[in-house]
Amino acid sequence: MPVSRPRRYWLVKSEPDVFSFDDLIAAPQHTTGWDGVRNYQARNFMRDDMKLGDLVFFYHSSTDPAGIAGVAEIVREAYPDATALDPAHAHFDARGTPDAPTWYQVDVRARERFTQLVTLAELRESPGLDGMELLRRGSRLSVQPVSAEHWKLITARWTTVPV
DNA sequence: GCCAACGTTGGC
DNA sequence: GCCAACGTTGGC
Protein backbone atom coordinates (compact mmCIF):
# COMPACT_ATOMS: atom_id res chain seq x y z
CA MET A 1 0.00 0.00 0.00
CA PRO A 2 1.25 3.49 -0.76
CA VAL A 3 1.98 5.69 2.18
CA SER A 4 -0.93 8.04 2.72
CA ARG A 5 -0.35 11.73 2.61
CA PRO A 6 -2.71 14.61 3.14
CA ARG A 7 -4.92 15.39 0.18
CA ARG A 8 -3.53 18.18 -1.93
CA TYR A 9 -5.39 20.81 -3.87
CA TRP A 10 -4.88 22.15 -7.36
CA LEU A 11 -6.22 24.45 -10.01
CA VAL A 12 -6.24 23.73 -13.73
CA LYS A 13 -7.09 26.19 -16.47
CA SER A 14 -9.07 25.53 -19.60
CA GLU A 15 -10.51 27.79 -22.24
CA PRO A 16 -14.22 26.95 -22.17
CA ASP A 17 -14.48 27.41 -25.94
CA VAL A 18 -12.07 24.49 -26.19
CA PHE A 19 -13.12 22.38 -23.21
CA SER A 20 -15.49 23.61 -20.52
CA PHE A 21 -16.55 22.23 -17.16
CA ASP A 22 -19.88 21.34 -18.77
CA ASP A 23 -17.92 19.37 -21.35
CA LEU A 24 -16.29 17.47 -18.51
CA ILE A 25 -19.67 16.76 -16.93
CA ALA A 26 -20.93 15.53 -20.30
CA ALA A 27 -17.94 13.22 -20.83
CA PRO A 28 -18.20 9.48 -20.06
CA GLN A 29 -17.81 8.95 -16.30
CA HIS A 30 -17.53 12.77 -16.05
CA THR A 31 -13.87 12.06 -16.76
CA THR A 32 -11.24 13.20 -19.23
CA GLY A 33 -7.50 12.91 -19.76
CA TRP A 34 -5.80 16.23 -19.05
CA ASP A 35 -3.60 16.12 -22.13
CA GLY A 36 -1.91 18.87 -24.10
CA VAL A 37 0.05 20.44 -21.25
CA ARG A 38 3.36 21.64 -22.71
CA ASN A 39 4.92 23.51 -19.85
CA TYR A 40 7.54 21.87 -17.65
CA GLN A 41 6.45 23.29 -14.34
CA ALA A 42 2.85 22.28 -15.00
CA ARG A 43 4.00 18.85 -16.15
CA ASN A 44 6.07 18.35 -13.03
CA PHE A 45 3.08 19.04 -10.82
CA MET A 46 1.04 16.50 -12.77
CA ARG A 47 3.76 13.89 -13.03
CA ASP A 48 5.19 14.12 -9.54
CA ASP A 49 2.65 15.58 -7.16
CA MET A 50 -0.92 14.97 -8.28
CA LYS A 51 -2.22 11.87 -6.53
CA LEU A 52 -5.47 9.92 -6.53
CA GLY A 53 -8.12 11.73 -4.53
CA ASP A 54 -6.55 15.16 -4.82
CA LEU A 55 -9.09 17.85 -5.64
CA VAL A 56 -8.89 20.37 -8.45
CA PHE A 57 -10.55 23.67 -9.19
CA PHE A 58 -11.60 23.81 -12.84
CA TYR A 59 -10.90 27.35 -14.02
CA HIS A 60 -12.22 28.94 -17.19
CA SER A 61 -9.59 31.22 -18.74
CA SER A 62 -9.64 33.58 -21.73
CA THR A 63 -13.35 34.13 -21.37
CA ASP A 64 -15.60 36.81 -19.94
CA PRO A 65 -15.84 36.51 -17.08
CA ALA A 66 -13.01 34.17 -16.22
CA GLY A 67 -13.48 32.11 -13.07
CA ILE A 68 -13.71 28.80 -11.25
CA ALA A 69 -16.55 26.68 -12.61
CA GLY A 70 -16.31 23.55 -10.52
CA VAL A 71 -14.39 20.95 -8.59
CA ALA A 72 -12.85 17.81 -10.04
CA GLU A 73 -10.91 14.90 -8.61
CA ILE A 74 -7.76 13.15 -9.75
CA VAL A 75 -8.90 9.67 -10.73
CA ARG A 76 -5.75 8.49 -12.50
CA GLU A 77 -2.18 9.46 -11.73
CA ALA A 78 0.37 10.51 -14.32
CA TYR A 79 0.82 8.55 -17.54
CA PRO A 80 2.33 9.53 -20.89
CA ASP A 81 0.42 12.06 -22.99
CA ALA A 82 -0.24 10.18 -26.22
CA THR A 83 -0.93 13.38 -28.14
CA ALA A 84 2.73 14.34 -27.72
CA LEU A 85 3.87 11.04 -29.28
CA ASP A 86 1.55 11.12 -32.28
CA PRO A 87 3.15 12.86 -35.31
CA ALA A 88 -0.29 13.47 -36.75
CA HIS A 89 -1.43 15.37 -33.71
CA ALA A 90 -1.26 19.16 -33.45
CA HIS A 91 0.47 18.86 -30.06
CA PHE A 92 3.11 16.40 -31.26
CA ASP A 93 6.56 16.93 -29.75
CA ALA A 94 9.46 15.06 -31.39
CA ARG A 95 11.58 15.18 -28.25
CA GLY A 96 9.71 12.37 -26.57
CA THR A 97 9.60 8.64 -27.28
CA PRO A 98 7.29 5.95 -25.89
CA ASP A 99 10.17 4.74 -23.71
CA ALA A 100 11.11 8.24 -22.59
CA PRO A 101 8.06 10.44 -22.84
CA THR A 102 8.44 14.15 -22.28
CA TRP A 103 4.85 14.99 -21.51
CA TYR A 104 2.38 13.47 -19.09
CA GLN A 105 -1.26 13.73 -18.24
CA VAL A 106 -3.61 12.74 -15.45
CA ASP A 107 -7.32 11.94 -15.55
CA VAL A 108 -9.79 14.22 -13.81
CA ARG A 109 -13.42 13.57 -12.94
CA ALA A 110 -16.03 16.27 -12.31
CA ARG A 111 -17.47 16.20 -8.77
CA GLU A 112 -19.15 19.49 -7.95
CA ARG A 113 -20.24 22.55 -9.84
CA PHE A 114 -20.33 26.03 -8.34
CA THR A 115 -23.90 27.33 -8.40
CA GLN A 116 -22.44 30.47 -9.94
CA LEU A 117 -19.06 30.94 -11.57
CA VAL A 118 -16.58 32.20 -8.97
CA THR A 119 -15.18 35.03 -11.01
CA LEU A 120 -11.61 36.23 -10.99
CA ALA A 121 -12.85 39.65 -9.88
CA GLU A 122 -14.63 38.11 -6.88
CA LEU A 123 -11.55 36.14 -5.96
CA ARG A 124 -9.41 39.28 -6.12
CA GLU A 125 -11.85 41.10 -3.83
CA SER A 126 -12.09 38.20 -1.40
CA PRO A 127 -10.11 38.58 1.83
CA GLY A 128 -7.69 35.83 2.73
CA LEU A 129 -6.55 34.83 -0.74
CA ASP A 130 -3.34 36.84 -0.75
CA GLY A 131 -0.54 34.85 -2.30
CA MET A 132 -2.79 32.59 -4.34
CA GLU A 133 -0.90 31.72 -7.52
CA LEU A 134 -3.89 32.45 -9.75
CA LEU A 135 -4.02 36.04 -8.47
CA ARG A 136 -0.34 36.77 -8.97
CA ARG A 137 0.36 39.38 -11.60
CA GLY A 138 1.36 37.73 -14.83
CA SER A 139 0.51 34.24 -13.60
CA ARG A 140 0.11 31.89 -16.55
CA LEU A 141 0.71 28.49 -15.03
CA SER A 142 -2.03 26.17 -16.29
CA VAL A 143 -1.60 23.57 -13.52
CA GLN A 144 -0.93 25.05 -10.13
CA PRO A 145 -1.16 24.13 -6.44
CA VAL A 146 -3.76 25.67 -4.15
CA SER A 147 -3.09 25.78 -0.42
CA ALA A 148 -5.48 23.96 1.90
CA GLU A 149 -6.29 27.30 3.52
CA HIS A 150 -7.23 28.92 0.24
CA TRP A 151 -9.19 25.86 -0.81
CA LYS A 152 -11.21 25.81 2.40
CA LEU A 153 -11.89 29.51 2.20
CA ILE A 154 -13.16 29.35 -1.37
CA THR A 155 -15.30 26.26 -0.88
CA ALA A 156 -16.75 27.77 2.30
CA ARG A 157 -17.57 31.08 0.67
CA TRP A 158 -19.18 29.80 -2.53
CA THR A 159 -21.78 27.07 -2.87
CA THR A 160 -21.36 23.90 -4.90
CA VAL A 161 -23.76 21.19 -5.93
CA PRO A 162 -22.86 17.64 -6.95
CA VAL A 163 -22.65 17.07 -10.70
C1' DG B 1 -7.63 43.88 -30.35
C1' DC B 2 -4.01 45.26 -27.28
C1' DC B 3 -0.20 44.32 -24.78
C1' DA B 4 2.34 42.93 -20.38
C1' DA B 5 4.29 38.99 -18.60
C1' DC B 6 6.26 34.88 -19.18
C1' DG B 7 8.71 30.54 -21.03
C1' DT B 8 11.52 28.82 -24.71
C1' DT B 9 14.84 28.96 -28.34
C1' DG B 10 19.07 29.68 -30.40
C1' DG B 11 23.14 32.56 -31.63
C1' DC B 12 27.20 33.80 -29.67
C1' DG C 1 26.06 30.84 -19.66
C1' DC C 2 24.05 35.05 -21.40
C1' DC C 3 20.40 37.31 -23.35
C1' DA C 4 17.68 39.07 -27.42
C1' DA C 5 14.10 37.47 -30.19
C1' DC C 6 10.14 35.11 -30.49
C1' DG C 7 5.67 32.80 -29.55
C1' DT C 8 2.07 32.16 -26.18
C1' DT C 9 -1.01 33.19 -22.39
C1' DG C 10 -4.66 35.54 -20.71
C1' DG C 11 -6.65 39.74 -18.48
C1' DC C 12 -8.57 43.82 -19.83
Side-chain angles (χ1 to χ4, degrees):
Chain A
M1 284 282 288
V3 177
S4 177
R5 63 128 166 85
R7 167 183 272 162
R8 286 187 193 166
Y9 302 95
W10 306 93
L11 180 146
V12 299
K13 298 179 182 175
S14 184
E15 298 187 21
D17 290 348
V18 178
F19 192 85
S20 70
F21 192 65
D22 281 344
D23 291 331
L24 181 60
I25 292 173
Q29 311 297 323
H30 306 321
T31 299
T32 198
W34 207 251
D35 60 19
V37 172
R38 297 291 181 270
N39 169 282
Y40 288 105
Q41 199 176 352
R43 177 207 66 183
N44 292 346
F45 284 133
M46 287 201 299
R47 187 191 58 189
D48 304 335
D49 297 325
M50 279 183 160
K51 299 300 174 189
L52 285 178
D54 284 1
L55 296 180
V56 182
F57 283 140
F58 193 111
Y59 179 83
H60 285 172
S61 65
S62 294
T63 189
D64 191 14
I68 302 170
V71 173
E73 177 179 359
I74 302 299
V75 292
R76 184 178 174 189
E77 296 180 3
Y79 61 103
D81 180 343
T83 68
L85 299 168
D86 175 5
H89 199 280
H91 294 149
F92 173 65
D93 183 340
R95 282 173 291 198
T97 67
D99 286 340
T102 305
W103 303 110
Y104 287 79
Q105 67 184 82
V106 297
D107 286 355
V108 298
R109 175 176 183 142
R111 281 176 55 117
E112 298 164 55
R113 170 174 69 72
F114 281 98
T115 53
Q116 300 179 74
L117 188 79
V118 180
T119 68
L120 183 59
E122 290 173 322
L123 291 167
R124 287 198 191 284
E125 291 166 6
S126 187
L129 296 180
D130 296 336
M132 191 176 175
E133 169 66 21
L134 182 72
L135 306 183
R136 244 192 56 240
R137 178 176 169 77
S139 170
R140 310 192 317 187
L141 199 56
S142 65
V143 176
Q144 56 182 257
V146 174
S147 74
E149 293 71 21
H150 291 160
W151 183 277
K152 284 172 189 153
L153 197 155
I154 290 166
T155 52
R157 191 162 294 164
W158 287 278
T159 306
T160 64
V161 292
V163 300

